[in-house]
Amino acid sequence: MDLKPGSRWKSAVCDAELVVVRPPSAPGVLECGGQPVIAHSAERPAGQALAAAQDGAAAIGKRYADPTTGLEVLCAKPGKGALSLDGRPLELKEAKKLPASD
Amino acid sequence: MHTALLLEMIAGACPDRLALAGRAEGLTFAELELRARRGAAWLAAQGPGTIVFLGLNGPALPKAIFAAGRLGRPFAPLNYRLPDADLRKLLARTAPSVAIVDDDMLPRVAGVDGVALVTRSAFEAAARDPAHDAAEPEAADPDIAVLLFTSGTTGEPKAAVLRHENLASYVISTVEFMGAEEGEAALVSVPPYHIAGVSAVLTGVYGGRRTVHLPAFTPEAWVDAAAAEAITHAMLVPTMLGRVLDVLEARGQTLPALRALSYGGGRMPASVIERALQRLPHVDFVNAYGLTETSSTIAMLGPDDHRRAIGSTDPAVRARLGSVGRPLPSVEIEVRGPAGEAVGANVAGEVHVRGPQVAGEYLGRKLTDAEGWFATRDAGWLDADGYLFIEGRLDDVIVRGGENISPGEIEDVLRQHPAVADVAVVGAPDEQWGEAVAAFIVPRGEAPSAETLSAWVKARLRSTKTPEIWAFRPELPYNDTGKLLRRVLKAELTSRAAA
C-alpha cells in the first residue's frame, strides 16, 4: 500500500475515509476497524462488518499519527472503526487551538 | 492533500450551515459544494488551462476557487486596479486560460491571445444550473492550486506558486475543523488577489464559519457590513484598521458582536493598535505575519500578548505590541546573518522559514534550499522569548557609510511625534556616504520644522540615523492593499538628485 501524501483511502468495514497528510518512513499497512483500508475509488467489499467493539473511532477533521513511522492521516469522513498501522493503534493528534488569522 | 477536499468535508459534516453571504440570501455549505461542482463542469467546457478571476470580492470567488480545484487547474486572481495595459500583460501571462471577469470589466481585457473570457454572471448562472450536475470534470494537473501575482512593489510582478499540499497543510494545521460556533461570521475585505483573500476562503470553509465578502473596501462600508451582519471575525491590513477606527470614533460605534480582529500585510503603527485596543476592549486582536510565498500566516501575536502588552508599564513587555509574535507550531523560523549562519536572540538578520505550508516558489523557479528553508527577504530578529520582530524588507535597508540602517526603526520614532500623522524613511543617493537617510512626513495639523524633528530623532536614536533630507507632503503613496510604495519615493529622490 503506497501511503503517499494526499492519497485517499477508505475503510473496508465502516464509513470512514482518510487522506494521508504525512507518509510513513517505512512501508506499512493502514487499517481501520482491524482491516486494511482500500483505495478511495474502490468498491467496499460486501458482507464485511466491524467484528469487535472498537477502542476509539475515526472522527472527522481529526488527525491521527503513528509515532514510530511518522505517518499522519486526516479523517475526511467519520466511521466507527479505530485506526491502526500494522496493528499499532494510531494516536489522536491534539492540535493547539489557534486564533483565526485570516 | 487537495483543497477541494476541505469543502467536501464540511459539506458532508454540516451541509445546512450557512457558508456564504448575508443572512438573508445566504448559501449553505452543501449548496456551495454543489455550485462549485457545476461551475467546474461548465468551466471545463469553456477552454483549457488556468482559471483566472478578475473581479470584486463576492460569493463567486469561493465558487471559482473550489471549481478550479475540482478541475485540478491553477486558480489565478488578478488585480483589477492595475492600469489596463498592465492588466492585459498579466492576463496574457496566464494563457492558456479561462478568465471569469466581472461583466463591467470585460471591455478592458477583450482580445488577449489564448484567454477565453466568460462573464461572472454567466459563471454564476452555470453554477446554479442543474444541467451541469452529471458531468464529472477532469483533474489534469492537480498540483498547483493557486498562482498569485506579487504586487510588484519592487519590479515586474512574479507569479507565486501555491500547491494544494501547501495550502491544505496551512489550513489543517491552523484551523480546527468545524471549530466555529453556529452564528459566527467573518467579514473579508482584502481583495481576491491578496493571499489573505484566498486563504480566508479556505480557512472559513474548513472552520465552518460563514464568510461575508465586502465587494470593495471603504471604512464606512466595512463598519456598516460588520454591524448589519453581526460580524464576529475579520482581518484588516493596518491602513484599513486606522480608517475603520476613524469611522467608529466619529460615529460612536463599538461593534458589540465583533470578537476577533486580525491584522497583517504591513507594519502596524503602535498608535493605531493602541487606539484599537482602547476603542474595542471586547475584541481579541491577532497580529498575523506571513507572505504570499508561505500560504499566509507563519507567526502570530495572540490576544493575550496584546492585553499583557497594553496593560504593562515594563517597556520590554510593552514593546511586544510591535512584534509579530511567535512562529506557528507547524513552522520553524530562523534568523540568519549575512554569511547564512543562524544568529542568536536580539541579533538582526534575514528571516528564514520552513514547513509544509511554505511554497517558496515562483513559476519555473523553486527558491527553497535543499533543507526546505525559504529566505523571506524580510529583516528582523527574535527576542529571548522567541517573539519575532520584523524591521522591513531587506531591500529597503539603507546602507549609509557601511552602516545598515532600518527605516522601520526611524519611522517608529517619528510616528510618536504628535505633529506626525504618517512617515516614510528611504535611502537617497549620496556621493559621500553612498546613501543618505531621507524622511517623507505627512504632518498632523501644522507642519513641524525639520529642525524639531531632527532633534526628536537624535534624542532617541544615533545621529547617523537622523534623516538628513526632509520632505513634507499631504499623503504617502500606498497600493490598494496598504503596502507603502517606497520605490515611488526613492525614484523621486533619485530624479531630484540628478536634476
Side-chain angles (χ1 to χ4, degrees), chain B residues 106-159:
Chain B
L106 207 59
R108 300 177 54 195
V109 289
V112 175
D113 274 352
V115 181
L117 299 178
V118 299
T119 60
R120 181 186 189 119
S121 56
F123 170 68
E124 291 269 38
R128 281 193 300 269
D129 189 349
H132 304 298
D133 278 354
E136 187 53 28
E138 91 259 43
D141 170 19
D143 221 16
I144 296 180
V146 174
L147 291 175
L148 267 183
F149 288 91
T150 58
S151 53
T153 45
T154 50
E156 276 289 298
K158 295 180 294 255

Side-chain angles (χ1 to χ4, degrees), chain B residues 364-385:
Chain B
R365 212 150 43 99
K366 185 82 181 159
L367 296 178
T368 50
D369 69 13
E371 277 91 47
W373 289 99
F374 172 66
T376 62
R377 302 294 298 153
D378 275 340
W381 78 92
L382 288 158
D383 75 9
D385 296 317

Side-chain angles (χ1 to χ4, degrees), chain B residues 56-411:
Chain B
L56 303 180
N57 252 334
L61 175 70
K63 289 174 207 163
I65 287 177
F66 287 110
R70 285 195 75 91
L71 291 172
R73 300 199 198 181
F75 177 78
L78 299 188
N79 182 353
Y80 52 81
R81 289 176 193 267
L82 290 173
D84 289 5
D86 294 349
L87 183 56
R88 296 173 66 89
K89 230 159 71 183
L90 269 197
L91 185 57
R93 284 171 62 186
T94 66
S97 61
V98 177
I100 303 167
V101 183
D102 273 15
D103 299 49
D104 61 346
M105 295 181 191
L106 207 59
R108 300 177 54 195
V109 289
V112 175
D113 274 352
V115 181
L117 299 178
V118 299
T119 60
R120 181 186 189 119
S121 56
F123 170 68
E124 291 269 38
R128 281 193 300 269
D129 189 349
H132 304 298
D133 278 354
E136 187 53 28
E138 91 259 43
D141 170 19
D143 221 16
I144 296 180
V146 174
L147 291 175
L148 267 183
F149 288 91
T150 58
S151 53
T153 45
T154 50
E156 276 289 298
K158 295 180 294 255
V161 172
L162 297 172
R163 296 182 183 272
H164 282 286
E165 57 180 281
N166 303 132
L167 288 166
S169 290
Y170 170 67
V171 174
I172 67 170
S173 61
T174 59
V175 181
E176 189 187 347
F177 179 72
M178 244 172 84
E181 291 163 32
E182 191 94 46
E184 286 186 7
L187 182 58
V188 176
S189 52
V190 285
Y193 49 84
H194 189 284
I195 177 61
V198 172
S199 58
V201 166
L202 302 178
T203 55
V205 159
Y206 197 67
R209 185 177 292 127
R210 177 167 66 98
T211 298
V212 179
H213 279 105
L214 198 62
F217 178 83
T218 66
E220 293 82 10
W222 190 94
V223 171
D224 290 342
E229 290 294 336
I231 291 300
T232 56
H233 291 68
M235 185 266 177
L236 291 169
V237 299
T239 48
M240 288 176 172
L241 180 58
R243 295 171 64 198
V244 162
L245 290 172
D246 291 342
V247 173
L248 290 177
E249 280 166 13
R251 295 183 181 175
Q253 274 174 279
T254 55
L255 303 176
L258 192 63
R259 283 186 232 164
L261 201 53
S262 68
Y263 58 91
R267 200 181 180 78
M268 172 62 82
S271 56
V272 175
I273 187 61
E274 283 171 10
R275 229 172 108 206
L277 284 161
Q278 277 147 13
R279 181 83 213 162
L280 305 166
H282 58 292
V283 172
D284 282 350
F285 283 88
V286 171
N287 184 356
Y289 165 67
L291 297 91
T292 302
E293 297 88 339
T294 61
S295 311
S296 195
T297 309
I298 54 174
M300 60 168 76
L301 187 77
D304 295 341
D305 292 318
H306 279 84
R307 294 206 172 92
R308 223 172 288 136
I310 196 78
S312 176
T313 47
D314 178 350
V317 177
R318 194 148 176 118
R320 292 261 162 83
L321 269 190
S323 152
V324 297
R326 289 197 256 216
L328 298 184
S330 48
V331 301
E332 296 168 82
I333 288 181
E334 199 171 272
V335 175
R336 297 186 187 173
E341 78 292 0
V343 298
N346 300 316
V347 180
E350 183 176 7
V351 178
H352 285 64
V353 57
R354 88 173 156 184
Q357 73 183 68
V358 177
E361 184 180 0
Y362 299 119
L363 260 192
R365 212 150 43 99
K366 185 82 181 159
L367 296 178
T368 50
D369 69 13
E371 277 91 47
W373 289 99
F374 172 66
T376 62
R377 302 294 298 153
D378 275 340
W381 78 92
L382 288 158
D383 75 9
D385 296 317
Y387 285 81
L388 180 65
F389 290 78
I390 298 295
E391 292 181 314
R393 299 298 285 169
L394 271 183
D395 307 314
D396 298 331
V397 168
I398 301 163
V399 185
R400 182 186 184 277
E403 183 188 1
N404 286 346
I405 297 173
S406 150
E409 185 187 11
I410 303 169
E411 288 167 0

Side-chain angles (χ1 to χ4, degrees), chain A residues 6-99:
Chain A
S7 62
R8 293 180 68 177
W9 306 86
K10 64 184 178 192
S11 170
V13 292
C14 70
D15 296 330
E17 291 188 11
L18 308 162
V19 53
V20 175
V21 175
R22 199 162 292 145
S25 56
V29 175
L30 176 63
E31 302 128 343
C32 178
Q35 293 295 321
V37 295
I38 57 177
H40 184 252
S41 54
E43 284 290 322
R44 237 174 222 128
Q48 286 202 40
L50 282 175
Q54 296 287 304
D55 188 13
I60 186 165
K62 297 294 182 196
R63 288 184 285 162
Y64 297 88
D66 173 46
T68 311
T69 60
L71 170 77
E72 189 181 319
V73 298
L74 173 73
C75 173
K77 219 177 196 183
K80 291 195 172 110
L83 305 174
S84 54
L85 184 76
D86 294 333
R88 286 191 304 279
L90 297 192
E91 294 175 4
L92 176 66
K93 211 175 148 176
E94 291 289 357
K96 191 177 157 224
K97 206 176 171 192
L98 296 169

